[in-house]
Amino acid sequence: MSIRTPESTAHVSYPPPKEFSASAHIKSLDEYRRLYDRSIKDPEGFWGEVATDCHFFKKWDRVVKWNLPDAQWFVGGQTNISYNCLDLQIERGRGDHTAILWEGEPCDDRGEPREIRRISYRELHREVCRFANGLTALGVRKGDRVTLYMPMVPELAIAMLACARIGAPHSVIFGGFSSQAILDRVQDAESHYIVTADGGWRRGSIVPLKANVDEACNMTDLVKKVVVLRRCENEVTMKDGRDVWWHDAVKGASDQCPAEPLDAEHMLFLLYTSGSTGKPKGILHTTAGYMVYTMYTAKLIFDLKPDDVYWCTADIGWITGHSYIVYGPLQNGVTTVMYEGAPNHPAWDRFWAMIARHKVTKFYTAPTAIRAFMKQGTEWPARHDLSSLKLLGTVGEPINPAAWEWYHHNIGHEKCPIVDTWWQTETGGALITPLPGATPTKPGSATLPFFGIDPAIVTKDGGEQKGAASGLLVIRKPWPGMLRGIYGDPERFRKQYWSEMPGVYFTGDGARRDEDGYYWITGRVDDVIKVAGHRLGTAEVESALVSNPKVAEAAVVGFPDDLTGEAIAAFVTLKGGVKPDESIKDELKKHVSSHLGAIARPKDIRFTDALPKTRSGKIMRRLLRELATKGRVEGDTTTLEDFTTIAKLRDDDA
Ligand code: WTA
């Protein structure tokens, strides 16, 4: 494990803007500290009170039952998150308020969007009920895993809420993944149902979603029904008996479908993510804890108020989209903005144009996007009126102070607090984050723990570090949003998260805590790579590479990249008789793209006669990482089985 420590910039601090604090849910650091203390001393009392803001069909008997590694929340309670996102909002008088404000990607000649849809809570409720009835008519039952492989259109949120309504866990697959990724996930989840679209718009082209699904389905006979939304009108083949158009599935379906009362611990969704080894793991979230945690974190971190037009630019295929496009904002009755396409289509000011057009008040995006905008220059945001903005956020990877400052000056015009939220697919919601009216921020730091979160910094052998320190980040107490397992693999769950440091949740991240108790996340200490904030496992990319007939062996590492945070370097041994040349590099890059998805495409490929391994046969990734980063390897290499490999790679590089 390597632990990187960022330069200390702990001295720079921005207090929350006074005006913001005055009307914020949490108004001062003192108030934060008081509530935080209480949340740690009396988690049951604290979360029990928070949960009274949600609707339960049957109240829980116990707030939390902690039997390591299983934390059950709101035990004995019955609820439904779809009810909380829709029916409850209508009961509260929000029925005519816009729930989803969506923009499609295609624009006319003047750069104006061709399609904008505003869907009220009442309309959303109706569409969700119709689709839920449609799914039921196709045979979907409570407990069935439904795979959603869709573009960023409102129907994706509708499908999620419809699944949740009838208790069928959804498994959303990022639309940028290709057929192999779909196949792996469908098989692991034993999912008989897929919802997809003919295609989706991305940077002016059509992503052939249905064709990717077909390719995956050709490799398995698990899939019984595929529902296809017509979005791009591109040509698709519909298989008789298996494929159904969305509009046919809902034809004549009733717009009433009472939400099923579900046990607090009922599986709400699976979301596949990369771990350090092997195949992607299905992170399992259950109903009540996730619901309460996303409602409350969204409310406090984004300081949501009824008139907010809130926009999170993530893709729903990732956890950020689940928690902070769909479930968190809708439970708070606000307008959540959804955008279908690329940030630079038709030009580099698409985001800023959208903020001005819809008077977006809260804006949440990724550091990689900010760095890309920075590179394009300030003239793009300067063209648009961004005065509606009140708060900015970032997520997914560490933000470098320069990007933070740029965001603060050029987008927030120095009046918007920035919330740098640290969390993971596994955590369900943000764990370390500023509260915008209370926490002074330091560029590059995710600041302080959210209520109920008890982080610690430990050494590799588990020793707790007090005060200012660097090390591995662990969480010592359960929290309501935490994962409830890895689907079908309780052993891996225990091993991955609970055995590294016995008794505590191991995050896989390194962190530094400064003298003010602020946390600075330094990045993954395992084999997870974050490319443009997208989470990838080295093993996944390696297996995509070795599936090419020319490749004998491959090892993949991440290395720093100015734009994407990290990029992928692949060290490849070709099969005997295959001569290494540039065209094979291109072929392999394309191979990974078509197999897994463009986000997994290696930036750098190097050929080697053999991979550096320890005597026990383990690939020495540290050496490869060093080689990819610095172009050379320093220090002790005597444990290498074959030092010539390293020497040779270094020579090639010279
Ligand atoms: C990284 C994304 C620094 C971290 C919500 C974590 C961050 C991984 C931040 C989880 C942040 C996320 N600062 N690093 N604000 N947010 N990370 O599962 O390494 O896609 O472990 O969840 O992203 O990625 P995931």
Side-chain angles (χ1 to χ4, degrees):
M1 284 177 188
S2 68
I3 299 165
R4 281 167 280 154
T5 312
E7 294 284 309
S8 174
T9 45
H11 54 284
V12 193
S13 170
Y14 290 87
K18 279 207 180 64
E19 256 177 52
F20 194 102
S21 299
S23 64
H25 290 301
I26 307 291
K27 296 180 169 51
S28 69
L29 200 56
D30 278 349
E31 188 181 356
Y32 158 78
R33 291 206 193 280
R34 244 188 352 262
L35 278 165
Y36 179 76
D37 280 349
R38 183 177 164 227
S39 73
I40 295 294
K41 286 193 189 118
D42 176 22
E44 296 218 24
F46 184 87
W47 289 112
E49 219 165 271
V50 171
T52 55
D53 267 357
C54 298
H55 168 272
F56 278 74
F57 293 103
K58 175 173 174 284
K59 200 180 167 191
W60 55 91
D61 307 316
R62 230 178 120 175
V63 174
V64 61
K65 208 159 124 198
W66 175 226
N67 184 7
L68 197 114
D70 293 307
Q72 292 170 269
W73 287 89
F74 307 105
V75 187
Q78 287 193 337
T79 184
N80 188 302
I81 197 169
S82 181
Y83 187 100
N84 275 268
C85 289
L86 302 167
D87 311 55
L88 181 63
Q89 305 309 323
I90 296 169
E91 285 164 29
R92 286 177 176 166
R94 306 288 287 164
D96 297 323
H97 194 76
T98 301
I100 297 181
L101 199 174
W102 174 82
E103 254 194 49
E105 190 192 72
C107 289
D108 63 20
D109 299 343
R110 291 170 301 133
E112 296 295 317
R114 288 183 196 279
E115 298 156 283
I116 292 176
R117 284 166 68 186
R118 289 185 181 81
I119 303 171
S120 70
Y121 276 90
R122 207 182 310 284
E123 287 161 344
L124 188 61
H125 179 269
R126 213 157 47 216
E127 291 310 312
V128 167
C129 287
R130 290 178 70 209
F131 195 62
N133 287 326
L135 286 175
T136 304
L138 288 172
V140 177
R141 295 289 171 267
K142 181 174 165 183
D144 285 342
R145 279 82 52 216
V146 179
T147 299
L148 309 179
Y149 179 66
M150 312 257 305
M152 280 287 290
V153 292
E155 282 76 7
L156 172 51
I158 290 168
M160 291 164 81
L161 292 161
C163 286
R165 203 160 182 88
I166 58 176
H170 52 72
S171 164
V172 182
I173 303 179
F174 173 55
F177 279 128
S178 307
S179 54
Q180 184 66 42
I182 304 172
L183 178 69
D184 290 346
R185 288 156 175 76
V186 162
Q187 283 180 327
D188 189 84
E190 295 165 283
S191 169
H192 301 306
Y193 304 93
I194 301 184
V195 183
T196 188
D198 47 6
W201 288 106
R202 185 83 191 167
R203 218 163 273 134
S205 323
I206 294 171
V207 182
L209 298 171
K210 173 63 164 64
N212 292 344
V213 167
D214 290 343
E215 215 174 286
C217 288
N218 286 341
M219 297 183 275
T220 173
D221 48 18
L222 268 173
V223 181
K224 292 188 204 153
K225 291 277 176 225
V226 179
V227 181
V228 187
L229 177 77
R230 188 173 276 154
R231 164 68 191 132
C232 299
E233 316 233 333
N234 52 314
E235 214 166 290
V236 294
T237 10
M238 297 291 281
K239 187 170 166 180
D240 258 358
R242 186 194 69 188
D243 299 351
V244 188
W245 288 106
W246 175 298
H247 52 260
D248 288 332
V250 295
K251 203 174 277 167
S254 156
D255 59 11
Q256 293 301 312
C257 173
E260 175 90 19
L262 300 169
D263 282 341
E265 276 290 290
H266 185 76
M267 193 197 323
L268 173 62
F269 66 83
L270 293 176
L271 183 56
Y272 282 83
T273 188
S274 305
S276 44
T277 52
K279 53 178 186 158
K281 48 192 178 182
I283 301 299
L284 193 161
H285 283 283
T286 55
T287 299
Y290 175 85
M291 177 179 91
V292 170
Y293 199 69
T294 50
M295 180 281 290
Y296 195 55
T297 48
K299 175 175 172 181
L300 295 199
I301 297 169
F302 305 113
D303 200 51
L304 294 180
K305 303 283 169 54
D307 289 331
D308 270 321
V309 179
Y310 159 92
W311 183 18
C312 165
T313 70
D315 192 287
I316 290 181
W318 307 102
I319 190 70
T320 305
H322 282 59
S323 302
Y324 297 125
I325 295 178
V326 181
Y327 292 121
L330 292 179
Q331 283 189 81
N332 280 282
V334 301
T335 297
T336 182
V337 177
M338 254 178 102
Y339 169 53
E340 178 183 33
N344 57 351
H345 189 91
W348 274 101
D349 61 347
R350 181 65 184 261
F351 279 11
W352 321 132
M354 280 183 65
I355 289 174
R357 184 155 46 241
H358 302 300
K359 302 205 167 27
V360 170
T361 55
K362 312 274 164 83
F363 180 70
Y364 189 37
T365 196
T368 289
I370 298 167
R371 287 191 293 267
F373 293 130
M374 245 173 113
K375 222 174 129 187
Q376 300 303 318
T378 51
E379 59 271 29
W380 293 101
R383 278 183 207 164
H384 299 277
D385 176 8
L386 304 182
S387 61
S388 57
L389 286 173
K390 293 182 183 156
L391 171 147
L392 304 174
T394 72
V395 60
E397 48 180 327
I399 181 161
N400 47 314
W404 196 103
E405 296 282 356
W406 187 91
Y407 198 32
H408 178 61
H409 295 295
N410 298 294
I411 308 304
H413 297 154
E414 281 135 62
K415 67 177 176 58
C416 300
I418 297 183
V419 289
D420 172 353
T421 61
W422 171 84
W423 56 296
Q424 313 176 305
T425 306
E426 291 87 340
T427 69
L431 299 197
I432 299 184
T433 172
L435 295 183
T439 319
T441 49
K442 302 182 188 186
S445 169
T447 75
L448 300 170
F450 190 76
F451 299 131
I453 305 304
D454 183 23
I457 305 258
V458 299
T459 56
K460 278 179 207 166
D461 40 31
E464 190 192 333
Q465 307 277 90
K466 300 260 189 219
S470 292
L472 305 170
L473 180 63
V474 300
I475 312 292
R476 294 182 290 199
K477 277 194 172 44
W479 64 96
M482 72 193 279
L483 78 163
R484 293 290 292 109
I486 293 177
Y487 186 66
D489 202 345
E491 196 36 49
R492 191 172 173 196
F493 172 58
R494 188 179 282 276
K495 203 160 157 261
Q496 191 114 44
Y497 303 107
W498 304 96
S499 66
E500 192 84 31
M501 318 284 157
V504 298
Y505 171 82
F506 175 55
T507 64
D509 276 314
R512 178 170 69 83
R513 188 175 45 219
D514 69 18
E515 36 305 324
D516 298 327
Y518 276 43
Y519 287 83
W520 302 72
I521 307 298
T522 48
R524 301 291 306 196
V525 295
D526 53 12
D527 294 324
V528 168
I529 312 181
K530 277 268 163 159
V531 183
H534 299 325
R535 180 166 165 179
L536 292 163
T538 52
E540 273 172 288
V541 185
E542 285 161 4
S543 67
L545 282 164
V546 297
S547 74
N548 184 290
K550 293 186 178 140
V551 175
E553 212 179 0
V556 159
V557 295
F559 68 102
D561 183 278
D562 283 349
L563 197 62
T564 57
E566 277 192 292
I568 295 175
F571 294 82
V572 171
T573 308
L574 294 171
K575 285 198 180 139
V578 183
K579 230 176 100 333
D581 65 33
E582 287 302 311
S583 72
I584 299 187
K585 285 190 185 174
D586 284 345
E587 178 187 332
L588 293 182
K589 286 181 187 177
K590 278 198 198 110
H591 179 83
V592 174
S593 293
S594 66
H595 218 68
L596 260 184
I599 51 162
R601 181 187 171 97
K603 185 169 180 192
D604 193 8
I605 292 190
R606 301 186 193 199
F607 297 118
T608 167
D609 291 341
L611 292 168
K613 291 184 185 164
T614 59
R615 283 181 216 292
S616 63
K618 229 177 126 190
I619 292 175
M620 304 183 77
R621 287 175 197 282
R622 186 182 61 80
L623 295 182
L624 295 178
R625 219 174 283 134
E626 228 178 301
L627 200 57
T629 309
K630 301 185 190 151
R632 65 195 144 79
V633 174
E634 283 162 358
D636 183 21
T637 53
T638 52
T639 50
L640 271 182
E641 195 179 68
D642 185 359
F643 181 76
T644 56
T645 310
I646 284 289
K648 187 147 187 329
L649 284 164
R650 190 168 37 198
D651 288 348
D652 287 353
D653 203 51

